[in-house]
Amino acid sequence: GAGVSQSPSNKVTEKGKDVELRCDPISGHTALYWYRQRLGQGLEFLIYFQGNSAPDKSGLPSDRFSAERTGESVSTLTIQRTQQEDSAVYLCASSRRERFTDTQYFGPGTRLTVL
Amino acid sequence: QQPVQSPQAVILREGEDAVINCSSSKALYSVHWYRQKHGEAPIFLMILLKGGEQKGHDKISASFNEKKQQSSLYLTASQLSYSGTYFCGTEGSNYKLTFGKGTLLTVNP
């Protein structure tokens, strides 16, 4: 596709359940990022995939959060045993080069609501 | 460390000018500006690198003062389409981008 896509666009889940969020980056982009955006807040960095190197997981808030990426394509962010404070919009972005501060192209996000 | 943006919100009439500021307590290598409309993905506006440069994009320009660790975004003769939340992202010594909380800009007819 022409841009970054994410699915689902909305997800409502019950506290304690696991959720998986998917991101399809722009074809050919080597870097992929996940951010969390709570209501009225800025973008909170979660994890960064950089080509074939080990991912930078320094932003993951707890061990309930994990992410995988298959080569230079799809990424999945998994949140286990969801809590109400996990409610937020989860944004994925990709960039051409393996440099964190290259121009990032964002997807539309997944709005997660934990009841 | 998260940069501080000011003001938190601003309301303009079409044609008016606005300035959005972004400051950090840490040394900066670059500053990035993004705009996000309600319910949409953030869109890249510009990157400013060390050297105190100023960039422009149509009627939106920005400056970066590395000594003061500040950047300002200038919106001239605002249009309705400028409405949205503006985020600055600052690159520090860890080479990562840290985003501010955003400035909500509303342009009314």
Side-chain angles (χ1 to χ4, degrees):
Chain A
V4 178
S5 60
Q6 292 185 243
S7 60
S9 55
N10 280 284
K11 177 72 177 179
V12 180
T13 190
E14 293 179 349
K15 179 181 172 182
K17 295 278 180 71
D18 298 351
V19 294
E20 276 191 1
L21 312 179
R22 177 188 169 107
C23 172
D24 283 88
I26 293 173
S27 177
H29 279 196
T30 54
L32 186 146
Y33 319 76
W34 282 98
Y35 293 90
R36 178 170 67 180
Q37 186 175 29
R38 290 191 166 122
L39 187 64
Q41 300 297 310
L43 303 170
E44 177 187 0
F45 165 72
L46 295 177
I47 187 168
Y48 164 47
F49 292 92
Q50 39 193 349
N52 295 322
S53 303
D56 180 344
K57 303 179 182 180
S58 59
L60 294 178
S62 77
D63 58 9
R64 295 187 296 106
F65 287 73
S66 63
E68 292 183 350
R69 186 181 186 193
T70 308
E72 291 187 356
S73 61
V74 171
S75 175
T76 303
L77 177 69
T78 302
I79 308 173
Q80 296 178 311
R81 305 182 301 282
T82 52
Q83 305 293 314
Q84 288 183 331
E85 62 262 27
D86 299 335
S87 295
V89 175
Y90 289 82
L91 289 161
C92 172
S94 69
S95 64
R96 257 185 219 104
R97 294 188 297 262
E98 291 180 12
R99 182 160 181 255
F100 202 101
T101 53
D102 191 15
T103 302
Q104 297 181 30
Y105 298 84
F106 283 83
T110 293
R111 180 174 299 278
L112 175 66
T113 304
V114 182
L115 302 176
Chain B
Q1 188 162 357
Q2 187 175 41
V4 176
Q5 288 186 234
S6 62
Q8 290 183 330
V10 58
I11 299 174
L12 301 174
R13 287 200 179 277
E14 205 172 0
E16 292 181 338
D17 302 340
V19 180
I20 300 172
N21 299 302
C22 174
S23 64
S24 173
S25 59
K26 304 270 187 180
L28 300 179
Y29 289 79
S30 67
V31 179
H32 302 230
W33 286 95
Y34 285 78
R35 177 173 64 207
Q36 184 180 32
K37 293 185 180 286
H38 183 69
E40 298 181 9
I43 300 296
F44 169 78
L45 293 177
M46 63 188 79
I47 295 177
L48 298 107
L49 306 177
K50 284 175 71 171
E53 67 174 301
Q54 184 150 355
K55 280 197 170 183
H57 176 67
D58 195 10
K59 292 181 180 176
I60 300 175
S61 62
S63 63
F64 175 29
N65 187 324
E66 65 192 82
K67 287 183 180 176
K68 292 186 177 180
Q69 295 151 199
Q70 291 177 348
S71 176
S72 294
L73 187 72
Y74 307 94
L75 299 109
T76 307
S78 59
Q79 304 169 17
L80 297 176
S81 62
Y82 287 4
S83 292
T85 300
Y86 289 77
F87 292 99
C88 70
T90 54
E91 178 194 5
S93 58
N94 61 1
Y95 305 109
K96 291 181 184 176
L97 268 190
T98 305
F99 287 92
K101 291 186 177 181
T103 295
L104 177 61
L105 177 73
T106 304
V107 181
N108 293 320

